[in-house]
Amino acid sequence: MSNISEFTLCKIVSGIKKKDFTSEEVTESFIKNSKKSKKLNVYITNCFDEAISSAKKFDKRGDFKGLLSGVPIAVKDLFCTKNVKTTAGSKILHNFIPTYESTVTNNLWSHGAFLLGKLNCDEFAMGSSNETSFFGNVINPYGEKLVPGGSSGGSASALAADLTPATIGTDTGGSIRQPASFTGTVGLKPTYGRCSRWGIVAFASSLDQAGPMTKNVQDCALLLEAISGYDPKDSTSIDTKVENYSSQLTEKVKGLKIGIPKEYRVDNMPNEIDNLWRKGIDYLKDAGAIIKNISLPHTMYALATYYIVAPAEASSNLARYDGVKYGHRAKGNNLTEMYENTRSEGFGDEVKRRILIGTYVLSSGYYDAYYLKAQKVRQLIKSDFNKAFNDVDAILTPSTPTSAFKIGDKKDDPISMYLNDIFTVPANLSGLPAISVPAGYDKNNLPLGLQLIGKAFDEQTILNLSLAIEKRANFKKNFKAWWS
Ligand code: GLN
């Protein structure tokens, strides 16, 4: 049999059901690959022994009720997992073992999956390159010197390198879609409120969403279906029906209207990105969709708005790490000194930068000028989308302004690092669902993704459009496992 770890999630689910292979064989295959791939540095914690025993138990019991029966899955280390270390990529949580399970991971396990391990990520999900992790940077399987994107970089690399059949990440400003684009994989940020945030280490609560990262669109629909749903434990969770995304998935998109926002044609955008965008337009035209030029006039303020709102919320969320309640504690001669030493030692530079910016924009005298202004602009950005969606069913843009860049290239230049998120942050600020689907390569043979942004709770339409693009782009990964 060919290598199971190269199969899609759907093929693995149906193979286990048809008894083409056992859950144990599947699990062994991913573990074997993972052990050969240490160089990519994707795992913070592996649960390989526990996964094998879960697989054996599954094979004995043979319970096929769930959508993911018998499937091992590794997840971003931002999801709290009961009795399994959860670090958020930070020194301050390097020894934190939650006594509870996040709702989204719990949904995976209720559907018959089990945990393969916890994947590396930027510290507290702050970053676009996975270089801010306390556990070291992750390597992109497309090249030894390349970042995988961030903050869900460990998830994206593990998926692209066949170390997990699918995975979940979180997306506050692009952390699912940007690494998906950099690694030739599919990543979807659901509508705000679609998936529960309960038990996910908080970064910016009004923007954070969990979502699926998969090898293709069909897998993405299946995984989204498994993790979505109302959760009374999250006050921002919305009680609305979860669609059967996977069975309703269709590439029939004839007559759908697709908006092309002129503001996303940014200065200095490489030709290749522009060409990819044109190709995407052609693919959708070929599928019978109608293309319309639209305007989202406040797009130019989205990045600045995001980098005020996100740090403001982060500075408040991260106040809880004081050495008393969670994780690392440093010594000090009195309480204040203990707090100061704990936070100085426990947080990395990028996290400290965000706390400083966030505290500044929330402080008296600056609150109105920065935070309140940003909230108002956020509303304008959202109303641009509301207006556009009177005329179109979805919006097509590139996912990122470049392909994967080199490790170290932007590390000391936060502004150029933040510019990476230019196409992804508007969907978070507006709470809208958005997906990145691999659609081509640049001249260096690095993958590029296209983004589809949908109406609130209309994940199905962007999944269907992505399938139409996927069928036409015929994207195939083009690297060998050079690291093993
Ligand atoms: N790169 C963005 C940031 O650093 C987005 C991160 C995310 O989506 N978690 O804030």
Side-chain angles (χ1 to χ4, degrees):
M1 191 187 316
S2 53
N3 191 351
I4 297 173
S5 63
E6 288 170 13
F7 293 173
T8 64
L9 174 65
C10 288
K11 194 162 172 183
I12 289 176
V13 169
S14 74
I16 295 176
K17 205 177 241 166
K18 286 191 292 183
K19 304 222 168 9
D20 291 344
F21 36 75
T22 64
S23 169
E24 188 180 349
E25 282 169 322
V26 172
T27 308
E28 290 274 10
S29 155
F30 286 104
I31 293 175
K32 200 171 128 214
N33 255 4
S34 298
K35 285 186 175 162
K36 286 193 292 187
S37 308
K38 294 221 168 86
K39 206 167 178 182
L40 300 178
N41 195 28
V42 299
Y43 278 103
I44 291 178
T45 303
N46 79 59
C47 307
F48 296 161
D49 293 343
E50 297 82 352
I52 289 289
S53 69
S54 301
K56 282 186 174 154
K57 258 192 226 145
F58 172 85
D59 288 329
K60 260 202 203 125
R61 214 177 45 231
D63 171 0
F64 295 101
K65 278 200 298 288
L67 293 172
L68 307 167
S69 299
V71 182
I73 292 186
V75 305
K76 183 177 186 177
D77 205 13
L78 207 70
F79 293 91
C80 286
T81 41
K82 190 172 175 181
N83 300 330
V84 178
K85 200 171 71 174
T86 299
T87 69
S90 182
K91 179 176 178 183
I92 215 159
L93 288 178
H94 72 99
N95 56 0
F96 172 55
I97 299 180
T99 52
Y100 42 84
E101 185 76 30
S102 86
T103 299
V104 158
T105 46
N106 204 31
N107 290 347
L108 292 176
W109 320 145
S110 311
H111 275 290
F114 47 85
L115 183 64
L116 194 53
K118 305 293 295 288
L119 297 167
N120 206 343
C121 57
D122 277 304
E123 187 178 4
F124 286 101
M126 297 174 193
S128 309
S129 63
N130 221 120
E131 289 168 287
T132 72
S133 169
F134 173 64
F135 302 91
N137 63 281
V138 169
I139 291 175
N140 187 328
Y142 275 88
E144 196 168 359
K145 299 199 161 59
L146 295 174
V147 304
S151 62
S152 313
S155 299
S157 275
L159 178 65
D162 299 324
L163 313 185
T164 180
T167 181
I168 49 172
T170 61
D171 190 313
T172 305
S175 277
I176 287 177
R177 291 159 287 157
Q178 186 251 19
S181 179
F182 280 13
T183 55
T185 55
V186 177
L188 185 145
K189 180 198 91 72
T191 311
Y192 186 77
R194 171 84 291 177
C195 296
S196 171
R197 289 184 299 108
W198 194 83
I200 301 174
V201 176
F203 165 9
S205 307
S206 77
L207 302 159
D208 298 342
Q209 263 297 288
M213 301 174 77
T214 55
K215 291 182 181 173
N216 68 14
V217 175
Q218 180 76 51
D219 287 0
C220 186
L222 183 73
L223 197 53
L224 178 65
E225 200 174 313
I227 62 172
S228 296
Y230 174 61
D231 179 11
K233 288 191 285 202
D234 171 2
S235 61
T236 59
S237 170
I238 310 277
D239 192 358
T240 175
K241 185 174 164 260
V242 175
E243 302 292 332
N244 297 323
Y245 301 111
S246 57
S247 53
Q248 287 171 23
L249 188 68
T250 168
E251 57 172 310
K252 294 202 182 85
V253 296
K254 198 166 174 217
L256 285 181
K257 296 193 195 89
I258 311 301
I260 308 297
K262 63 169 190 266
E263 291 78 6
Y264 280 61
R265 193 152 277 124
V266 293
D267 290 347
N268 303 326
M269 188 158 88
N271 278 341
E272 293 162 295
I273 304 282
D274 212 25
N275 292 342
L276 179 88
W277 199 4
R278 280 180 226 279
K279 259 200 222 156
I281 293 172
D282 289 343
Y283 293 148
L284 292 180
K285 270 190 194 157
D286 181 58
I290 300 157
I291 305 296
K292 289 191 145 199
N293 288 322
I294 59 164
S295 172
L296 300 166
H298 296 92
T299 301
M300 63 187 290
Y301 305 114
L303 205 58
T305 305
Y306 172 84
Y307 276 98
I308 290 174
V309 173
E313 293 184 18
S315 71
S316 160
N317 272 327
L318 271 58
R320 75 190 73 181
Y321 304 106
D322 55 7
V324 177
K325 297 186 267 318
Y326 304 90
H328 179 71
R329 176 186 294 186
K331 289 200 166 50
N333 290 324
N334 52 50
L335 186 64
T336 310
E337 220 178 271
M338 187 280 284
Y339 285 160
E340 284 171 358
N341 293 345
T342 296
R343 289 168 69 83
S344 304
E345 280 175 20
F347 291 136
D349 288 350
E350 184 58 28
V351 171
K352 284 179 187 154
R353 181 181 292 123
R354 306 277 177 121
I355 293 173
L356 285 172
I357 297 172
T359 311
Y360 181 82
V361 301
L362 289 175
S363 58
S364 106
Y366 296 104
Y367 181 89
D368 289 357
Y370 293 106
Y371 184 70
L372 210 58
K373 188 65 143 278
Q375 291 292 21
K376 288 178 183 167
V377 180
R378 180 177 184 176
Q379 202 50 44
L380 294 173
I381 292 166
K382 191 166 187 291
S383 65
D384 282 354
F385 279 109
N386 289 345
K387 278 186 210 139
F389 282 126
N390 287 328
D391 294 327
V392 297
D393 300 293
I395 293 169
L396 179 74
T397 77
S399 302
T400 52
T402 66
S403 61
F405 47 89
K406 289 217 172 74
I407 294 165
D409 257 15
K410 298 181 196 278
K411 200 160 179 249
D412 300 322
D413 182 358
I415 305 280
S416 89
M417 189 68 94
Y418 297 169
L419 278 168
N420 249 287
D421 308 327
I422 193 155
F423 299 143
T424 47
V425 295
N428 301 77
L429 289 168
S430 313
L432 298 172
I435 185 169
S436 176
V437 58
Y441 282 100
D442 72 0
K443 59 177 184 306
N444 299 319
N445 268 326
L446 298 179
L448 298 170
L450 284 170
Q451 175 178 236
L452 283 149
I453 306 173
K455 294 180 182 171
F457 295 101
D458 191 13
E459 280 82 0
Q460 190 74 58
T461 297
I462 55 171
L463 283 164
N464 293 350
L465 289 162
S466 299
L467 187 67
I469 291 181
E470 182 180 75
K471 287 269 160 74
R472 287 164 179 80
N474 198 20
F475 178 91
K476 297 247 173 347
K477 78 176 180 192
N478 67 357
F479 61 81
K480 295 258 177 314
W482 50 264
W483 57 87
S484 64

